[in-house]
Amino acid sequence: MEVPNVAEKWMGCVRKVTIGATKEQGGTRGNIVTVGGAKSIPYMDFEGEQGCKPVIAMDVLDTVPEDWPDALKEPFKDVLNSPAKWAKKCVEQYGADMVCLKLDSIHPDKGNKSAEEAVATVKSILQAVSVPLIIWGCEHNETDNAVMPKVSQAAKGERCLLAGASQDNYKIIAAVCLADGHCLVTQAPVDINIGKQVNILVSDLGFPLDRIIMFQTTGALGYGMEYVYSIQERERIAALSGDNLLGMPVICNVGYESWRAKEAKASDAEAPQWGSCVERGPMWETITAATLLQSGVDIIRMYHPKAVAAVKKFTQDLA
Amino acid sequence: MIAIAERINGMFSDVKRAIKKKDPSIICDLAIKQTEAGAKFLDVNVGTAAADQCDAMQWLISVIQEVVKTPICIDSQKLDVVKAGLEVVKSEVLINSCKGEPEELDVYLPLAKKHNASLICLTINKQGVPQDVHARVEIAATIAAKAMEHDFDMTKIFIDPILLPINVDQKQPRYLFEVFNQVKYISDPPPHIVVGLSNFSQGTKERSLLNRTFLTMAIAAGLDSAVMDVLDKDLMDATICAEVILNKHIYSDLFLKAVR
């Protein structure tokens, strides 16, 4: 009996988005990163091209993360007070494809630092590493609208990825990204309809669709991961079915979300029955990333070098 | 929805005049407006305006191709006019139409294949226009079988089961919904299903309302293409709305804009 071919034929694809600009392209990056390009759902290579391999962006905070558990601080203990050194370590020692600078300290409740300080941090990281940079605001609209334009201008021409635009706050960030030649994260709270809406809103401002990365916020293993998984999977299927406004690469924030889970951060004394926290936290992060990858993710923000190494191996082995 | 825009047709007096005078302005205007309104194909029908229909068809297509890249739908019952059109089209093209008669299909299918064209096939045979579900589906099956025989890509076949005006026979719309349902199962992948929508409301009042209500019901039953008035914004909005309701597009607050 003939075995029927049940492979899907997809008519759409995920756009390719390039982040970072070399000297010839008007920036100073030593290497650039291209993500997207999938023409089938992840790891179904008999249905179509897989596109570019997912990349890992390691988070660097602009302030010492006081609330991090010791197991997470340990690999960065010598660099936590210097974002530039921290970024350098992520790239040179831990193999990060990109660095994601999280501007936590500009938040009114987390330091209220000035735009000038944020600009100085951005410049120091651009100088310290040659990989493309993601610059993530503090997610306080008023503050981000004041700080991100200055940060954007300071990194003009570097084709960074800036976060982000939401349904209620997209005009300023989209305008500055457009003016300074950066890529833009469009953000929705685990809601595919709003995700599409934000893409329409920024494209109405003239923002090119091939410079957008979508972010549906992230839930870690045990904390809503399945909701995010199904939204991202639906986004990817819509993209492959030809929905132009959902055919963008996807980013997820695995490090931060995984390490919020008590299963990841509880010390050995707090949870002796759960096994060593040195292994437990990275495992929580690894499993979250490895699972979400299968829903269609192109950039993964991560924290722990052990998790980074495990996920890198996973993406390479599966490719 | 594969919307085939109907306005460039010599049966309309402005187009007729333009063809007679070889005045491109009205044709260009219609080509641009219909494209902006969401037309996937521009139907081109020379009507009775010109003595030399082949020449008129080539002129119309050339004029349109100067201003838009929208694929052309060559609309003529005459084979030589279709061939003349095919000679000058530059991109994707749809032939409108041939009858579901084996001898005619044997001529049109190889012709369409040679030009990489899609083909509208009417469920009409020597007995004329069938009035019931069964005869229409039977002709549709003949068309599908012939397409397979000619190794013709089924996704380039458009079955037109002949939509009659509502005031001619009120039983027909219901029959057609059943035909749409059944034609979907004729092959895998199935052919497209198309109707000439404006014919539905010929000689009636409330034409736009009749057209769009029929179309939304028809989309739910499986229709995926229509020769229609794309400049009727209510009609286009209703079409998009029906497709969102059927989960063919992901909803967003700006969904009317998104689909366009």
Side-chain angles (χ1 to χ4, degrees), chain A:
Chain A
M1 197 183 102
E2 197 185 341
V3 180
N5 181 3
V6 294
E8 290 279 351
K9 278 185 196 147
W10 301 105
M11 43 193 261
C13 68
V14 177
R15 278 185 197 77
K16 280 190 180 174
V17 175
T18 298
I19 303 161
T22 60
K23 213 168 186 178
E24 297 76 45
Q25 296 160 333
T28 61
R29 301 300 82 201
N31 60 302
I32 56 174
V33 162
T34 300
V35 291
K39 292 181 179 168
S40 84
I41 51 178
Y43 308 116
M44 304 277 271
D45 54 8
F46 54 90
E47 289 188 346
E49 285 171 40
Q50 292 296 293
C52 306
K53 243 186 244 176
V55 296
I56 295 173
M58 284 183 78
D59 273 27
V60 169
L61 275 59
D62 66 343
T63 180
V64 179
E66 304 292 351
D67 56 344
W68 277 18
D70 290 341
L72 183 54
K73 278 185 187 163
E74 174 61 27
F76 308 105
K77 63 182 179 198
D78 50 333
V79 294
L80 284 176
N81 56 5
S82 163
K85 285 184 189 161
W86 186 346
K88 207 170 162 65
K89 190 167 194 183
C90 287
V91 176
E92 290 175 5
Q93 206 167 323
Y94 301 139
D97 301 305
M98 303 171 79
V99 165
C100 177
L101 172 65
K102 180 75 173 60
L103 293 172
D104 261 358
S105 72
I106 59 171
H107 195 287
D109 303 334
K110 298 178 191 169
N112 203 21
K113 282 194 186 161
S114 67
E116 288 65 36
E117 285 172 281
V119 165
T121 308
V122 167
K123 283 186 173 167
S124 72
I125 292 185
L126 283 170
Q127 214 153 38
V129 297
S130 64
V131 297
L133 185 60
I134 303 172
I135 308 171
W136 208 281
C138 69
E139 298 179 16
H140 180 276
N141 288 348
E142 229 169 275
T143 308
D144 282 345
N145 286 343
V147 174
M148 292 305 272
K150 291 183 180 164
V151 164
S152 166
Q153 205 178 13
K156 187 170 181 163
E158 295 285 4
R159 205 178 168 100
C160 298
L161 173 61
L162 267 57
S166 63
Q167 188 176 18
D168 306 320
N169 191 47
Y170 62 92
K171 287 184 181 159
I172 291 178
I173 187 84
V176 299
C177 275
L178 191 61
D180 297 329
H182 299 303
C183 300
L184 175 65
V185 173
T186 56
Q187 181 168 340
V190 199
D191 186 317
I192 192 168
N193 308 117
I194 295 177
K196 184 167 172 175
Q197 177 78 359
V198 185
N199 289 343
I200 300 167
L201 291 170
V202 300
S203 74
D204 267 3
L205 293 178
F207 200 85
L209 296 179
D210 63 358
R211 268 161 56 191
I212 292 176
I213 304 284
M214 293 192 293
F215 178 50
Q216 274 291 344
T217 66
T218 303
L221 173 64
Y223 294 85
M225 180 175 66
E226 57 277 33
Y227 294 104
V228 176
Y229 187 101
S230 60
I231 293 281
Q232 288 181 173
E233 185 181 52
R234 201 165 159 226
E235 269 180 354
R236 185 55 48 102
I237 289 171
L240 297 172
S241 304
D243 192 329
N244 203 29
L245 289 154
L246 287 169
M248 292 84 170
V250 165
I251 188 169
C252 59
N253 185 5
V254 167
Y256 171 75
E257 293 295 338
S258 301
W259 286 90
R260 282 171 73 193
K262 65 176 184 296
E263 291 84 349
K265 68 182 177 191
S267 66
D268 292 348
E270 286 169 275
Q273 72 280 21
W274 285 354
S276 164
C277 66
V278 176
E279 299 299 331
R280 192 175 354 105
M283 276 167 70
W284 211 262
E285 190 178 353
T286 303
I287 296 298
T288 302
T291 308
L292 289 175
L293 271 173
Q294 294 167 71
S295 67
V297 175
D298 304 273
I299 305 174
I300 325 165
R301 282 176 61 193
M302 297 189 72
Y303 273 1
H304 200 287
K306 269 193 189 171
V308 169
V311 173
K312 266 208 150 177
K313 185 170 186 316
F314 180 80
T315 57
Q316 272 153 12
D317 288 353
L318 274 182

Side-chain angles (χ1 to χ4, degrees), chain B residues 19-243:
Chain B
I19 295 171
K20 276 196 170 154
K21 290 188 191 162
K22 291 225 166 175
D23 171 9
S25 61
I26 183 95
I27 307 298
C28 293
D29 188 47
L30 282 170
I32 292 166
K33 277 193 183 141
Q34 292 187 117
T35 298
E36 285 170 354
K40 295 282 191 316
F41 287 93
L42 297 175
D43 191 87
V44 181
N45 186 321
V46 295
T48 53
D52 184 345
Q53 292 194 0
C54 293
D55 179 64
M57 178 60 81
Q58 290 191 332
W59 178 76
L60 277 174
I61 293 172
S62 306
V63 165
I64 294 165
Q65 288 181 151
E66 293 261 315
V67 288
V68 293
K69 290 199 170 103
T70 319
I72 302 287
C73 171
I74 304 172
D75 184 356
S76 174
Q77 302 304 314
K78 295 181 180 166
L79 185 59
D80 56 339
V81 179
V82 170
K83 282 182 175 167
L86 286 171
E87 278 172 27
V88 292
V89 282
K90 288 179 184 160
S91 58
E92 204 185 326
V93 60
L94 172 61
I95 298 170
N96 182 13
S97 56
C98 90
K99 296 194 184 79
E101 192 57 49
E103 298 79 35
E104 198 166 323
L105 288 162
D106 282 334
V107 174
Y108 274 84
L109 283 165
L111 177 71
K113 198 171 170 183
K114 184 177 151 200
H115 291 272
N116 199 23
S118 300
L119 180 62
I120 296 181
C121 303
L122 313 172
T123 62
I124 297 180
N125 59 13
K126 284 186 182 130
Q127 281 77 47
V129 179
Q131 302 291 313
D132 64 352
V133 174
H134 179 73
R136 283 184 168 104
V137 174
E138 202 175 281
I139 300 173
T142 305
I143 295 164
K146 271 285 169 198
M148 280 180 219
E149 192 184 310
H150 285 274
D151 196 23
F152 195 89
D153 182 356
M154 200 61 78
T155 61
K156 289 189 154 190
I157 294 280
F158 289 65
I159 304 273
D160 181 344
I162 313 293
L163 175 60
L164 298 167
I166 179 80
N167 57 5
V168 167
D169 181 359
Q170 243 179 295
K171 296 189 296 305
Q172 291 295 325
R174 222 192 165 106
Y175 291 166
L176 276 209
F177 297 147
E178 185 52 35
V179 172
F180 301 155
N181 262 317
Q182 293 191 23
V183 168
K184 279 185 291 188
Y185 299 105
I186 268 182
S187 64
D188 183 21
H192 296 287
I193 310 170
V194 65
V195 293
L197 183 64
S198 298
N199 195 37
F200 181 62
S201 58
Q202 278 304 344
T204 65
K205 300 286 180 197
E206 303 290 356
R207 291 197 64 181
S208 174
L209 179 61
L210 277 167
N211 289 345
R212 70 177 178 270
T213 307
F214 173 84
L215 190 62
T216 53
M217 295 170 80
I219 289 169
L223 183 84
D224 66 351
S225 179
V227 182
M228 60 199 270
D229 179 9
V230 298
L231 302 178
D232 180 346
K233 187 173 178 296
D234 288 340
L235 179 64
M236 293 299 276
D237 284 353
T239 305
I240 293 166
C241 206
E243 291 186 331

